[in-house]
Amino acid sequence: MVDAYGDPGVPGCRSGGGYLWWLVTRQWRRSLAGAVLASVWMGLLALPPYLVSRAIDDGLEPSDGAALAGWTTALLAAGTLNAFLGLLRHRTMTLLRMDGNFRTVKVVVDHATRLGAALSGRTGAGEVLTIGVGDVQTIAFSLTAVGPGVAAIIVYGIVAALLLSVSLQLAVVVLLGVPLIVVLVGPLMGRLQGAETEYRERQGVLTARIGDLAGGLRVLNGLGGKGLFADAFRRDSGALRAQGYRVGSVTSWMQALGLGLPTLFLAVVTWLAARLAAQGEISIGELVAVYGYVAVLVVPVAFLVECGYQLSRGVVAARRVVRFLALEPVASGPDALDAPSSEAVLCDPESGVRVVPGQLTALVGARPGDLATVVDRLGRYAESAATWGVTRLDGIDLAQVRERILVADNEADLFAGTLRDLVSGRRDHGAGDDDIARAVRAAVADDIVRGLPDGLDSAVDAQGRNLSGGQRQRVRLARALLADPEVLLAVEPTSALDAHTEATVAARLRAARAGRTTVVTTTSPLLLNQVDTVCFLVDGKVTATGSHDRLLVEEPEYRALVARDTEVGIEEGSR
């Protein structure tokens, strides 16, 4: 089975069927063993009818006790052997499915890691979650076709050959009957793929909406929008349920035909064999053997239909995985340039923002989304003509940009782990206690460390669910400060803090980043009092630049936005 810490390999395929075949070839020895074991196991199912027929013809009818005992012993041995082979087959197929499951999970997680920050812009969280929760299991179970699927075809030929030794007429009926069953079930597989594909698409959208609702339910409730979104969710879930019924309808027909048609087929062949026995063309023992052969044939035919069903669903699920793997991460071109050798001006021509090295700059605007967009362009998370020094930012080697420019989003992910791990971030060799302590103090997160039972070694839930909103924000800020990038772009770093804590954070942030280039988006006077330069944006464009005090005097719109009261005097703004 795939090593949990090993390389799962690269699929390198562009279709759902190709991805399933890649999973098979990655463990071809186990796949081959599963096919052989399943073929022998299923083939030996045809042996008991033959042994029973010999026991009747050679032992029971002539009253030969020794022959009867011999054939009965052979029958017992065959059953025991087949039970043992069945255990081996099931174990091998379970390992095959688990390998396919874990390998797909590793491939998807590895690719999500490579996409990094580009993931959220390329696909929704619901899509990734649907792949992890549903598609992975579906793909794993579709690998069943490797064992029983191959064995069903082989055993079908074996039974036909055995029947040929009894009666040509019966063999012809079997050879023509099973393909007829496949032809009847085949069109349903195409319908199943179409219905399953639409169902999976709807499921991904609804899963993403569930995540959005869960994360913003409190805000929605406060704004009075919970009912509106609940109605939309109810409508979408109703549509998903209706699509699920369509999938279930096709599935029920496939399963019904998979069991019903072989049984009907058994009845027809048995009736023909009984007529041949009544006419004296075959013996009673051969009649029993024919019944046994055809009864055994029900198993591979049912497996064929089941494998077709699983493969149809597996191809749909694999297509989603392949589509996800086709997403390309942001990468540097072959002609990427080096970043400036020293600190340089960071400029966004689209908005007019110009970040001077070594200063604490604030971006202020009525729409936080406009400010976050500017930060994304300055951090090279969005296409733009932004420049760093005299070079376009998108022409610089991406690794160097990520190393020297850090975008600290106030909604950045917090993975489950210890508080120490959360603050240390992606540092390869970890950070020293003194460095962590300085970053924690600068972010005014000392009380968080003291309040947790084990301090920095206390466990924190995923997304910091066991922390308050303000605590999560300070943990994110401490992580950004510990990284100590050359350029720090912080989005609303104090929006969830009370006034006293925010004032302390503002003062300590200025001290911690003294001489370093720092940009914050904010409308808080407590933070603006500490900055060197303010860029005031209206509709995403810089309309004024200067100190906080000067803009309070000269820009009425700025004063109204920041002071939140047009009558507020200059004295209050300068405190």
Side-chain angles (χ1 to χ4, degrees):
M1 198 158 55
V2 62
D3 181 5
Y5 299 98
D7 181 11
V10 180
C13 52
R14 299 182 178 180
S15 66
Y19 181 80
L20 296 181
W21 178 246
W22 175 77
L23 289 178
V24 172
T25 56
R26 291 297 293 181
Q27 42 177 339
W28 65 269
R29 291 184 179 85
R30 185 177 292 130
S31 300
L32 181 61
V36 171
L37 287 171
S39 300
V40 175
W41 168 77
M42 203 175 293
L44 286 179
L45 292 177
L47 184 59
Y50 171 78
L51 296 176
V52 170
S53 70
R54 300 307 304 164
I56 293 174
D57 289 343
D58 297 346
L60 192 59
E61 280 193 352
S63 300
D64 187 342
L68 181 61
W71 287 116
T72 302
T73 301
L75 181 62
L76 177 62
T80 303
L81 174 61
N82 217 21
F84 176 71
L85 291 176
L87 290 174
L88 293 180
R89 176 197 68 83
H90 188 272
R91 179 179 180 275
T92 302
M93 295 310 301
T94 299
L95 291 174
L96 186 73
R97 289 194 298 269
M98 291 176 66
D99 185 280
N101 188 318
F102 295 148
R103 194 177 297 275
T104 300
V105 168
K106 282 184 64 64
V107 165
V108 170
V109 171
D110 286 352
H111 192 65
T113 303
R114 283 194 294 271
L115 289 173
L119 176 61
S120 58
R122 303 292 181 84
T123 187
E127 178 74 8
V128 181
L129 186 59
T130 301
I131 290 174
V133 173
D135 292 334
V136 168
Q137 290 289 339
T138 302
I139 289 171
F141 275 99
S142 69
L143 298 182
T144 303
V146 174
V150 173
I153 299 174
I154 295 174
V155 171
Y156 167 62
I158 292 175
V159 171
L162 291 172
L163 286 175
L164 186 62
S165 66
V166 176
S167 168
L168 176 62
Q169 181 181 0
L170 294 175
V172 170
V173 171
V174 171
L175 288 172
L176 296 180
V178 174
L180 178 61
I181 293 175
V182 175
V183 169
L184 292 174
V185 176
L188 290 176
M189 294 182 183
R191 287 187 57 191
L192 177 64
Q193 284 195 20
E196 185 85 16
T197 298
E198 185 176 350
Y199 178 81
R200 292 291 185 182
E201 296 292 341
R202 290 178 179 270
Q203 187 181 37
V205 172
L206 195 62
T207 302
R209 185 160 295 176
I210 290 174
D212 293 340
L213 284 173
L217 189 59
R218 182 178 300 175
V219 177
L220 288 174
N221 194 34
L223 296 174
K226 184 173 69 172
L228 179 64
F229 276 83
D231 291 340
F233 180 79
R234 191 179 298 111
R235 184 170 57 252
D236 291 343
S237 61
L240 179 65
R241 181 177 63 249
Q243 184 63 25
Y245 287 153
R246 285 191 283 273
V247 173
S249 175
V250 179
T251 300
S252 63
W253 273 106
M254 287 190 64
Q255 292 179 342
L257 291 175
L259 295 175
L261 289 179
T263 304
L264 180 62
F265 180 63
L266 171 64
V268 171
V269 175
T270 302
W271 178 74
L272 289 175
R275 288 195 59 185
L276 292 175
Q279 295 169 2
E281 296 185 22
I282 62 175
S283 67
I284 299 299
E286 289 175 326
L287 172 63
V288 173
V290 168
Y291 177 82
Y293 294 152
V294 180
V296 168
L297 196 61
V298 172
V299 176
V301 172
F303 265 121
L304 276 176
V305 176
E306 176 67 18
C307 288
Y309 165 67
Q310 294 291 356
L311 276 176
S312 296
R313 300 185 70 231
V315 168
V316 172
R319 284 174 185 164
R320 294 169 66 90
V321 172
V322 169
R323 186 171 59 190
F324 176 75
L325 296 178
L327 299 176
E328 293 292 339
V330 178
S332 301
D335 300 325
L337 303 173
D338 289 332
S341 57
S342 59
E343 291 185 336
V345 174
L346 197 58
C347 183
D348 175 35
E350 187 171 341
S351 63
V353 170
R354 187 172 182 273
V355 181
V356 178
Q359 290 191 1
L360 176 56
T361 304
L363 306 184
V364 179
R367 294 200 295 258
D370 290 345
L371 307 181
T373 300
V374 173
V375 168
D376 283 343
R377 291 198 292 262
L378 293 174
R380 195 178 162 182
Y381 286 102
E383 294 184 4
S384 72
T387 59
W388 194 8
V390 296
T391 309
R392 277 181 60 115
L393 195 60
D394 55 11
I396 299 174
D397 180 69
L398 182 61
Q400 296 184 38
V401 174
R402 294 288 179 262
E403 182 67 27
R404 296 172 60 181
I405 300 178
L406 173 63
V407 175
D409 195 329
N410 64 346
E411 294 295 332
D413 290 324
L414 295 174
F415 297 104
T418 65
L419 181 60
R420 185 188 304 276
D421 292 337
L422 292 185
V423 174
S424 298
R426 64 180 181 88
R427 289 200 165 198
D428 296 334
H429 303 292
D433 289 343
D434 292 341
D435 294 332
I436 294 177
R438 280 192 294 270
V440 167
R441 185 180 184 283
V444 195
D446 315 66
D447 61 315
I448 303 176
V449 178
R450 291 193 300 268
L452 293 174
D454 298 317
L456 287 171
D457 296 318
S458 299
V460 177
D461 295 341
Q463 301 302 341
R465 286 191 294 266
N466 57 336
L467 302 176
S468 68
Q471 289 175 330
R472 289 194 293 269
Q473 194 166 53
R474 283 179 285 163
V475 168
R476 293 185 178 104
L477 180 58
R479 180 170 63 185
L481 293 175
L482 182 62
D484 193 28
E486 178 181 320
V487 179
L488 173 61
L489 309 175
V491 179
E492 297 287 348
T494 61
S495 59
L497 305 182
D498 60 79
H500 173 73
T501 305
E502 184 177 23
T504 307
V505 168
R508 293 183 183 178
L509 174 63
R510 180 176 180 82
R513 294 289 299 173
R516 307 285 274 171
T517 306
T518 307
V519 177
V520 296
T521 68
T522 185
T523 57
S524 169
L526 296 172
L527 186 53
L528 291 170
N529 280 333
Q530 299 291 337
V531 305
D532 299 307
T533 304
V534 177
C535 295
F536 179 49
L537 288 81
V538 177
D539 295 328
K541 306 292 184 181
V542 174
T543 60
T545 302
S547 68
H548 172 57
D549 292 342
R550 187 172 71 81
L551 293 183
L552 279 174
V553 174
E554 300 177 359
E555 297 293 331
E557 286 187 67
Y558 177 81
R559 183 169 62 249
L561 174 65
V562 172
R564 297 172 181 84
D565 186 352
T566 56
E567 301 299 326
V568 174
I570 298 174
E571 293 80 12
E572 179 180 345
S574 61
R575 281 203 296 267

